[in-house]
Amino acid sequence: MPYRRSVLLAALVAGGIASPALAQDKSQVVLCQTLEPTVLDPTAGAAQAIREVTYGNIFEGLVAIDRAGKIVPKLAESWQISADNLVYTFKLKSGVTFHDGTPFTSADVKYSLERAVAPDSKNAQKWIFTPIASIETPDAATVKVTLKQVAANFLYGLAWGDAIIVSEKTAAANATTPVGTGPYKLDKWTRGDRLSLVAAERWWGGKPAIARATFRFINDPQAQLAAIQSGDCDALTNFGAAEALPTLKADKRLTVTIGKTEGETIIAMNNGKKPLDDLRVRRAIAHAVDRNQVNLGAINGTGTPIGSHFSPAQPGYVDLTGRYPYDPAKAKALLAEAGYASGFDLTLKVPPPAYARRSSEIVAALLGEVGIRVSIENVEFPQWLDRVFKNKDYDLTIISHTEPLDINIYARPDYYFNYKSQAFVDLMKKVDAAVDDKSRLALYGDAQKMLAEDSVNVFLFVLPKVTVSKASLTGMWADWPLPATPLTDLAWQ
């Protein structure tokens, strides 16, 4: 089933749009991305777009993940871990201030970590902080964190955007007027259009090459293509019109990279609703979906197929792509066995990204071929977050989960999948307690197999990071070990 391109998109690809002959201001950059942040506090929302704008720019954590996926020092210049893996002692950088001039101290670390795990916390990744038993601050430059039990991914979690350090004085307003310790601060936010950051007056890392960065929000693939070809965008992350890539690669003004992400793209199924609470129905849906066809039609075949919720870029990956081969006859047989020989109706709620919207049309057609009548409902991302992610008001949805090593979300009984498995919860506890890599990776393999056997969701592919930028702009991340666009890495040649 070929994917139909619009006449406008075909015209843009064929002819291109002339770029204005303007001198490049090397102190500024315009970055375009698909989604707009819902808020600017990564501890108050799960949306990827929040981290794209703020991670390493406005806010910083004790540690960070670099472009190679390695944990590196940030506000902590060093750390020590006790022999029993229960005590983490961080030595903090000196001379660090928040954007409002308030000095950064160990008290801010204690406040931030305790705030993240508080009962009223909106933090989407509380698992990072729940192992904490106590936090001590012997002096302004030292933080001692003691855990209740071994948590193998504790330090890794502290590198996520959800573990940023904030000031108690300004934390309540960070959603709209963020104050961090990072190299940039908010200048102006025109909702629905763009957001600009300017270099902070003082930053412990020195003066960045880019003094002003503007993030523009463009979710339509045709508009993205027009913006990059016209020069209105200096760089565009997660480019939506994958079929236009050959033309863009031939344009000497531009650089095109197709990198890796941690974005497991799935057809999420509400396991708590009939008839999706029946394993036979979920397995039927898995057999009814031709992942290769979805990959080709939605993103021009640039995705990496997966068979469970785990990225092939991670150690411990198990190839389970053959578990549910495309088999409409098998799907129909399973539906009949479950009592749905005549099929049933489902609603597929789809957020704005191009991969999701394009996939939805193909998925609906494929499910229709086995008798499952799918109604597509396109929703904006704030609606998706409220109705699907928060309130579980959905049958099916298509989304990419971009956090690294996030297989543990299936152990959350209140998560929007409505998957409730004590066996999986117990398995994740073993993963957290496994200190040696060999044992932990083997357990991750068991977890992948369990999710596949339970057919919790339809696992499609890992979303590629397709970046198109002006050839003279350097420093854009080719891969995304997590969603981030650190501005201090950028410079003009």
Side-chain angles (χ1 to χ4, degrees):
M1 181 175 60
Y3 181 79
R4 295 181 178 178
R5 301 177 178 85
S6 72
V7 174
L8 175 58
L9 182 58
L12 289 172
V13 173
I17 297 178
S19 176
L22 298 176
Q24 179 67 55
D25 183 345
K26 294 188 176 183
S27 68
Q28 302 192 34
V29 69
V30 177
L31 304 174
C32 297
Q33 63 185 53
T34 300
L35 296 176
E36 178 177 11
T38 49
V39 295
L40 295 178
D41 180 358
T43 72
Q48 168 187 306
I50 304 171
R51 290 141 185 82
E52 285 187 67
V53 171
T54 65
Y55 187 88
N57 294 328
I58 296 176
F59 295 109
E60 299 170 308
L62 290 173
V63 292
I65 295 176
D66 67 9
R67 65 172 67 227
K70 296 180 180 180
I71 298 175
V72 295
K74 192 55 70 168
L75 292 177
E77 63 180 23
S78 63
W79 56 89
Q80 292 183 337
I81 305 173
S82 63
D84 61 4
N85 291 285
L86 291 176
V87 181
Y88 291 69
T89 304
F90 298 92
K91 181 67 175 177
L92 307 183
K93 288 186 184 297
S94 60
V96 177
T97 62
F98 287 92
H99 296 151
D100 63 355
T102 303
F104 159 72
T105 71
S106 58
D108 299 304
V109 178
K110 180 178 173 66
Y111 167 76
S112 298
L113 299 184
E114 291 178 344
R115 172 178 177 260
V117 79
D120 62 346
S121 168
K122 296 180 181 179
N123 199 297
Q125 306 295 343
K126 280 190 175 183
W127 67 267
I128 299 171
F129 315 98
T130 50
I132 297 175
S134 65
I135 305 171
E136 300 173 60
T137 54
D139 56 60
T142 306
V143 177
K144 182 180 178 181
V145 180
T146 301
L147 305 184
K148 303 170 190 173
Q149 66 273 335
V150 173
N153 288 323
F154 178 65
L155 191 64
Y156 192 63
L158 291 182
W160 290 26
D162 309 81
I164 58 162
I165 304 302
V166 299
S167 167
E168 183 174 7
K169 185 168 68 172
T170 56
N174 276 341
T176 54
T177 53
V179 176
T181 61
Y184 292 89
K185 61 182 183 179
L186 178 65
D187 177 42
K188 185 178 182 181
W189 187 5
T190 305
R191 289 184 181 269
D193 182 24
R194 65 189 65 204
L195 178 153
S196 59
L197 304 180
V198 293
E201 288 81 7
R202 294 198 321 170
W203 179 55
W204 59 266
K207 184 179 179 181
I210 301 297
R212 173 184 291 272
T214 300
F215 291 85
R216 288 186 59 195
F217 312 117
I218 307 174
N219 62 36
D220 181 74
Q222 300 172 13
Q224 290 179 354
L225 179 60
I228 197 68
Q229 288 189 313
S230 67
D232 290 343
C233 295
D234 295 323
L236 201 157
T237 59
N238 296 311
F239 180 59
E243 66 276 6
L245 291 178
T247 298
L248 296 179
K249 287 180 179 179
D251 190 334
K252 293 182 180 180
R253 301 169 304 161
L254 303 174
T255 297
V256 177
T257 60
I258 301 178
K260 301 174 183 176
T261 75
E262 291 288 327
E264 294 93 356
T265 306
I266 61 174
I267 304 172
M269 297 186 280
N270 192 336
N271 286 231
K273 288 185 68 174
K274 289 186 178 300
L276 299 170
D277 60 344
D278 191 318
L279 176 59
R280 294 166 296 184
V281 170
R282 298 196 303 274
R283 285 179 171 173
I285 291 174
H287 280 299
V289 175
D290 184 344
R291 294 160 183 78
N292 292 329
Q293 194 173 139
V294 178
N295 190 357
L296 183 62
I299 55 175
N300 217 38
T302 55
T304 303
I306 53 173
S308 189
H309 200 104
F310 214 78
S311 168
Q314 287 286 351
Y317 170 76
V318 178
D319 186 355
L320 298 169
T321 52
R323 176 62 183 84
Y324 296 101
Y326 175 52
D327 190 341
K330 178 69 172 177
K332 289 179 181 179
L334 284 165
L335 290 176
E337 182 183 329
Y340 297 100
S342 299
F344 49 83
D345 298 314
L346 292 177
T347 299
L348 173 58
K349 292 182 179 174
V350 191
Y355 71 83
R357 294 278 167 92
R358 293 180 173 189
S359 294
S360 68
E361 298 176 11
I362 304 169
V363 168
L366 288 167
L367 294 182
E369 291 175 1
V370 300
I372 301 174
R373 299 171 293 276
V374 176
S375 174
I376 298 174
E377 182 181 345
N378 291 331
V379 296
E380 294 306 308
F381 204 64
Q383 292 176 294
W384 187 92
L385 287 169
D386 180 62
R387 295 169 62 185
V388 177
F389 187 76
K390 180 181 178 181
N391 291 308
K392 309 180 187 69
D393 177 20
Y394 80 106
D395 298 322
L396 306 175
T397 190
I398 298 176
I399 195 68
S400 185
H401 282 257
T402 55
E403 296 86 358
L405 278 180
D406 59 352
I407 196 170
N408 59 4
I409 57 180
Y410 291 81
R412 302 179 193 177
D414 60 343
Y415 207 65
Y416 79 101
F417 305 147
N418 265 326
Y419 172 63
K420 294 174 172 54
S421 168
Q422 187 59 48
F424 192 84
V425 171
D426 293 341
L427 184 55
M428 281 295 99
K429 289 179 180 178
K430 292 180 180 178
V431 169
D432 290 340
V435 177
D436 66 290
D437 291 343
K438 185 177 180 180
S439 297
R440 187 167 62 256
L441 296 182
L443 290 167
Y444 272 134
D446 293 340
Q448 294 167 65
K449 293 171 187 175
M450 187 179 294
L451 295 183
E453 288 305 309
D454 287 350
S455 197
V456 183
N457 295 312
V458 180
F459 305 102
L460 295 173
F461 49 77
V462 171
L463 196 68
K465 183 178 186 290
V466 180
T467 303
V468 185
S469 60
K470 291 181 179 177
S472 54
L473 181 64
T474 63
M476 291 292 293
W477 281 17
D479 299 321
W480 256 8
L482 48 66
T485 308
L487 297 171
T488 52
D489 286 3
L490 305 184
W492 291 98
Q493 291 181 335

